[in-house]
Amino acid sequence: GTLVVAICGWYPFYAIIEMIKDGSIVRFIIQPFDFFWYCLGFEVGWHLINTLLYLFFFAAIYFLVRTQIVAGLAEVSWIWFLLSLLIAALVSLEVNLILAAAAFWLTSANALGNLFWMAIFLLGGQAVPLSFFPAGWQTLVGLLPFRFMYSLPLEIYLGKLEPLGLTLSLIAGLI
């Protein structure tokens, strides 16, 4: 779970709010370079370094306890798992960009960011697995983007989805 958050937790929200407040976002409005691609490039670079550090840490732990770890995925499932990580990162980035745009109209958009963090924590499956929610809530939470940011990659890794559910979840994440 920690590695999924490190890879997929793309949260440029507060940096974008600061750019809006101090006016430095203007350079992206007047240049032909799209702001989305700037944020994507920045987040990819930052997450590559972050993931390498995490992988080094997890490799050291794996070396120490390798006899007690059971591999959970078949070879084909790794492709779906990596695709779900990519979808999680893009959904997280896009939701952050949308929420950060609220700083154009709100004087304190940080509260919106805090609500977003709580929603990911509670409705994304970090605090409690989504399968623990009542049936009606599971349907509602399954429609929100928070599931795709955290729970879906873990569900794929743990083998909790059947092929049809896996395919539909990945398609819904892309939409």
Side-chain angles (χ1 to χ4, degrees):
T2 303
L3 190 58
V4 170
V5 171
I7 293 172
C8 302
W10 293 31
Y11 306 115
F13 180 79
Y14 297 106
I16 296 171
I17 287 175
E18 288 304 315
M19 291 175 74
I20 292 171
K21 284 182 181 178
D22 68 14
S24 62
I25 198 165
V26 167
R27 69 176 183 221
F28 295 101
I29 295 172
I30 60 175
Q31 292 179 349
F33 190 71
D34 192 18
F35 185 64
F36 172 79
W37 295 109
Y38 166 78
C39 288
L40 182 66
F42 181 81
E43 290 291 319
V44 165
W46 187 85
H47 277 79
L48 282 176
I49 293 169
N50 189 26
T51 302
L52 289 176
L53 292 174
Y54 268 98
L55 287 177
F56 176 74
F57 176 72
F58 280 105
I61 290 175
Y62 176 78
F63 180 74
L64 294 173
V65 295
R66 66 182 174 272
T67 58
Q68 298 155 349
I69 294 178
V70 178
L73 287 176
E75 291 177 18
V76 175
S77 297
W78 278 104
I79 296 168
W80 298 119
F81 176 66
L82 293 174
L83 180 62
S84 72
L85 289 177
L86 177 66
I87 290 171
L90 290 176
V91 167
S92 178
L93 178 66
E94 291 168 353
V95 170
N96 271 275
L97 290 173
I98 291 169
L99 289 177
F104 282 114
W105 299 281
L106 300 175
T107 56
S108 179
N110 289 339
L112 187 61
N114 293 337
L115 287 173
F116 175 67
W117 278 94
M118 284 192 323
I120 290 175
F121 186 69
L122 296 173
L123 303 175
Q126 287 181 343
V128 177
L130 298 182
S131 60
F132 286 7
F133 283 95
W137 281 93
Q138 284 183 16
T139 304
L140 176 66
V141 171
L143 298 173
L144 298 173
F146 308 116
R147 175 179 180 241
F148 303 104
M149 293 182 207
Y150 184 76
S151 182
L152 182 64
L154 289 178
E155 290 172 11
I156 293 171
Y157 181 78
L158 296 173
K160 301 287 183 185
L161 294 176
E162 296 185 16
L164 179 62
L166 171 68
T167 306
L168 292 176
S169 295
L170 290 174
I171 290 171
L174 288 172
I175 293 175

